[in-house]
Amino acid sequence: MLSLRALASRLVADGVVEKISHQRVSQLAREDPDFPPTVLIGRSRAVDYRLARPYFAGRKTRPGWRTDLKGRPPASE
């Protein structure tokens, strides 16, 4: 079991993802129904690395449109 902060570091160290923040891992844990189950330990959430590694290895990244840099995205037709 790893905390979500430690999970982010371990995923980068193991080369599963190029980079990821613990904030993004926390967001995925809250919002993605396919995220492996987490448990509360004290005030931290933890996840089983054996379940989290395949989740992140098989996950396709979908970078969003940077409105702070590019303005509004073009209207889709």
Side-chain angles (χ1 to χ4, degrees), residues 4-5 7-8 20-36 38 45 55-56 59 62-64:
L4 298 184
R5 182 179 292 269
L7 175 62
I20 193 165
S21 67
H22 70 276
Q23 293 96 335
R24 179 65 176 142
V25 174
S26 295
Q27 181 184 29
L28 289 170
R30 276 192 319 271
E31 298 175 359
D32 189 352
D34 294 329
F35 195 85
T38 61
R45 291 230 162 251
Y55 167 82
F56 282 97
R59 189 170 176 281
R62 298 179 312 259

Side-chain angles (χ1 to χ4, degrees), residues 11-73:
L11 290 169
V12 173
D14 288 352
V16 178
V17 296
E18 186 177 327
K19 65 180 187 174
I20 193 165
S21 67
H22 70 276
Q23 293 96 335
R24 179 65 176 142
V25 174
S26 295
Q27 181 184 29
L28 289 170
R30 276 192 319 271
E31 298 175 359
D32 189 352
D34 294 329
F35 195 85
T38 61
V39 295
L40 191 59
I41 300 175
R43 292 177 40 189
S44 299
R45 291 230 162 251
V47 65
D48 187 345
Y49 185 70
R50 295 169 295 181
L51 300 175
R53 181 180 168 87
Y55 167 82
F56 282 97
R59 189 170 176 281
K60 295 194 190 286
T61 58
R62 298 179 312 259
W65 186 272
R66 291 287 306 265
T67 57
D68 59 330
L69 299 176
K70 300 180 181 179
R72 291 196 167 271

